[in-house]
Amino acid sequence: MRMVFLGPPGAGKGTQAVMFSEGMRFLHLSTGDILRANVKRGTEIGQKARSFMEQGLLVPDSIVIEMMLDKIKTSEAGKGFILDGFPRTVYQARRMDEELKGLDLTIELVVYFKTSIDIIIYRLTGRRICRDCGANYHIVNMSPKKEGICDKCGGELYQRKDDNEEAIKKRLEVFNGQTKELIDYYKKQGILEEVSGDLDAGKVYEAISGILNDRDKNRT
Ligand SMILES: [Zn+2]
């Protein structure tokens, strides 16, 4: 199954993408991770991306899409892939669809994580991120074994500057503005399904598994 996980920051998309990639061998395509990996390895495209990042600019869509496609082409996509945190706009979605078409692929399912603002604020204000590997923690729900240190790689944990209530509300406004159109875009294709991002990770996993099972049944 080739999927997009769509939802506001703090909706738990990344957590689910990790669970599904580990449990069901879907390739997890996170823009943040792929960017970091390319920059770290010093690939040609990573160097291009770096020059934008060093100037504090957003990495252009064309670079992000090229990295995603590279990964899809060179990895064993196993039973499919999950796009996590991308696309964010209809423009990006169209570009991605066109590029995938060139590989004879399409997006088959878009899972929208509908999440309430109070939950998002709670999760993001408590979030801590590893500087080295990008793993996410939460000071209450998912605290690291050693305070301030990543369980997976021993890296230092930090809090994003924009993980405060005021900045979160602004980010949500931007997200909602962009996403309305994107939801319509996928709805028209008949591939949009909704889950509640308010539930805990196990419950969300069950809900998405249920959707996947239904889709499989309808196929055969
Ligand atoms: Zn780490």
Side-chain angles (χ1 to χ4, degrees):
M1 188 68 78
R2 292 176 296 274
M3 299 190 273
V4 171
F5 283 0
L6 180 66
K13 305 181 297 290
T15 304
Q16 293 301 321
V18 169
M19 288 167 81
F20 276 94
S21 65
E22 284 170 0
M24 300 178 80
R25 290 183 43 237
F26 289 118
L27 179 66
H28 178 193
L29 298 164
S30 143
T31 32
D33 289 351
I34 292 176
L35 262 174
R36 240 189 321 272
N38 273 280
V39 169
K40 209 171 180 180
R41 292 208 319 269
T43 62
E44 198 181 318
I45 194 158
Q47 283 170 12
K48 264 194 242 168
R50 183 181 214 148
S51 68
F52 287 95
M53 289 153 90
E54 279 172 353
Q55 296 171 66
L57 299 171
L58 269 173
V59 179
D61 289 345
S62 56
I63 292 184
V64 175
I65 290 173
E66 196 181 327
M67 284 181 181
M68 296 283 208
L69 288 169
D70 256 12
K71 184 99 184 181
I72 291 170
K73 281 187 228 165
T74 57
S75 313
E76 256 202 66
K79 289 162 77 185
F81 60 72
I82 302 165
L83 295 178
D84 162 20
F86 189 89
R88 288 178 195 269
T89 62
V90 172
Y91 174 77
Q92 290 174 339
R94 286 216 177 93
R95 284 283 314 272
M96 194 70 193
D97 282 351
E98 280 164 23
E99 295 289 339
L100 285 173
K101 216 173 176 183
L103 300 174
D104 254 336
L105 300 173
T106 53
I107 301 289
E108 299 167 282
L109 174 67
V110 177
V111 181
Y112 175 55
F113 290 61
K114 193 178 182 184
T115 315
S116 54
I117 184 159
D118 293 343
I119 299 260
I120 291 171
I121 287 170
Y122 170 75
R123 286 182 187 155
L124 291 186
T125 52
R127 178 164 74 164
R128 299 292 181 272
I129 304 166
C130 175
R131 265 188 212 290
D132 293 333
C133 75
N136 278 227
Y137 296 87
H138 189 277
I139 48 171
V140 181
N141 289 343
M142 220 182 10
S143 57
K145 288 189 189 104
K146 233 191 205 171
E147 199 189 321
I149 306 286
C150 176
D151 289 347
K152 289 178 187 151
C153 78
E156 181 200 355
L157 302 185
Y158 74 103
Q159 180 172 28
R160 267 175 62 155
K161 277 203 194 97
D162 58 355
D163 277 350
N164 65 72
E165 193 166 332
E166 205 180 320
I168 291 165
K169 282 182 175 158
K170 274 193 196 132
R171 279 152 73 199
L172 286 177
E173 254 171 55
V174 172
F175 173 82
N176 289 332
Q178 289 178 335
T179 312
K180 244 181 155 178
E181 262 189 310
L182 191 55
I183 288 174
D184 283 344
Y185 175 78
Y186 286 128
K187 237 185 209 162
K188 273 185 203 143
Q189 298 182 25
I191 55 173
L192 188 87
E193 295 276 358
E194 199 175 286
V195 296
S196 168
D198 290 357
L199 303 172
D200 61 49
K203 287 268 179 344
V204 178
Y205 188 86
E206 271 173 34
I208 298 172
S209 299
I211 293 169
L212 292 176
N213 283 335
D214 286 347
R215 297 246 156 181
D216 269 348
K217 265 184 224 150
N218 290 338
R219 262 185 185 173
T220 46

